Amino acid sequence: MTDQPIPTVLAVDGNSLLHRSFHAQARTMYRTPDGAQGWAIRGLLSQLVAAVDRVCADVVVVGFDDRGNSSRKRRWPSYKAQRAPKPESLERQLDLAVEVLRELGVVVVVPEGLEADDVLASVAAQAPALGARTVVATSDRDSFALIDDNTRMLRILNGGVDASPLLDPQRLALVTGVRPEQYLDLAALRGDTSDNLPGVTGFGTKTAVRLLQALDTAEAAFDDAETGGGRCAAAVGKARANALAAPGARERWQHNCEVMEMVTTAEVGLHRTLGRGRLPLDEDAVRSTYSRFELHVAGALRALTLREPTRTVTEPYVDPRWKGAPRPKLGPLPKLVPAAVGPAYVQETLF
């Protein structure tokens, strides 16, 4: 009896990938043949194919923020309050992306009051019960906290999917210096200026890592700081140990943890058969979507339908009246000079 293969669910942060494509491809100002602004969606569709190929995905789920209806902003009005409004062209392409991806046949989730990273967290939490594992694809480092034995992270960096690392718990520890379960503490100590969440005074990434390596959790560090701070001082110095004991420091860390913690119970469309969004997708839908955005259809068909595209081979037309020019007469061939004997293997040229 052979073991059944474990299906892989690719959970994509649609906002993250579309934002990156919007800025990276803005110089093209690409519009579809029907006139729709589409450079960001075009980049997202390209990255989707690359990610499916990279992780050998069986099911694709794409999450987007519920824009204008944020439960976090209602609870904490200062959350992301400093951000400027999104350009109208970005808002328009975010809306169109949801429509395009649903027509393509992948699962698209816009959870009420939540964000795309909550979709990723919910997929990661729910997939193991269905016998599946997850790869989350995002540029958002907050998703480091989702990595475990059943979940890896494709951290999208400049250069796209092919240039991006695929992180598991061991690789994350090498990259960041902390385990996945410590990452929320690190982020809460450091804070996040893009989300308008100040960190604990004196703590950047490197200092927070040293503290967590020595004391394992932020809770243990605050407890130590409030009772003399000997262990904290040995790890990060007396001044920062005092900063942990300062009024409001623990409360700021706790506040950041609450805001940053991702929801794992959102309805993300998974069920026992993993039928929705499962590859292969419909060939006509893939062909239509990628043709509309003038992308490489054959590559999309291979990745998303798991089949080689059918090719129609036609003989080139040749006018029967055409006659080639007469070939010139050639003189005697020159004597060939034996080439110098070169290396037998490429390695010989390197050493």
Side-chain angles (χ1 to χ4, degrees), residues 143-155:
S143 291
F144 288 159
L146 302 178
I147 297 172
D148 59 23
D149 291 338
N150 293 305
T151 304
R152 294 176 293 166
M153 177 181 177
L154 183 60
R155 174 81 193 287

Side-chain angles (χ1 to χ4, degrees), residues 179 182 185 211-212 214-222 253:
R179 305 186 307 276
Q182 294 176 299
D185 273 350
L211 183 71
L212 294 172
L215 284 94
D216 196 54
T217 67
E219 187 78 46
F222 281 110
W253 161 75

Side-chain angles (χ1 to χ4, degrees), residues 98-159:
V98 172
E99 174 188 321
V100 167
L101 290 169
R102 283 180 174 154
E103 290 174 354
L104 179 62
V106 302
V107 177
V108 180
V109 182
V110 187
E112 184 176 356
L114 301 177
E115 301 175 18
D117 54 3
D118 297 311
V119 175
L120 272 55
S122 296
V123 171
Q126 297 170 31
L130 302 174
R133 57 192 171 196
T134 304
V135 176
V136 298
T138 179
S139 61
D140 189 346
R141 58 189 178 181
D142 287 346
S143 291
F144 288 159
L146 302 178
I147 297 172
D148 59 23
D149 291 338
N150 293 305
T151 304
R152 294 176 293 166
M153 177 181 177
L154 183 60
R155 174 81 193 287
I156 307 299
L157 301 174
N158 292 340

Side-chain angles (χ1 to χ4, degrees), residues 36 63 122 125 140 154 162 178 193 197 237 240 266 276 280 292 314 343:
S122 296
D140 189 346
L154 183 60
D162 292 337
V178 296
T193 56
L197 296 172
R240 289 187 175 88
R276 291 181 58 205
R292 178 184 178 187
T314 57

Side-chain angles (χ1 to χ4, degrees), residues 190-206:
R190 176 190 60 207
D192 189 336
T193 56
S194 69
D195 288 345
N196 200 28
L197 296 172
V200 175
T201 301
F203 281 85
T205 299
K206 293 181 180 178

Side-chain angles (χ1 to χ4, degrees), residues 15 20 26 32 48 63 69 104 128-129 154 162 174 181 196 212 220 224 242 246 263 278 281-282 308:
N15 279 76
R20 293 180 69 86
T32 62
L48 181 66
N69 180 29
L104 179 62
L154 183 60
D162 292 337
L174 289 174
E181 61 270 23
N196 200 28
L212 294 172
D224 177 74
N242 291 339
V263 173
R278 191 177 186 110
L281 301 183
D282 178 73
E308 283 291 328

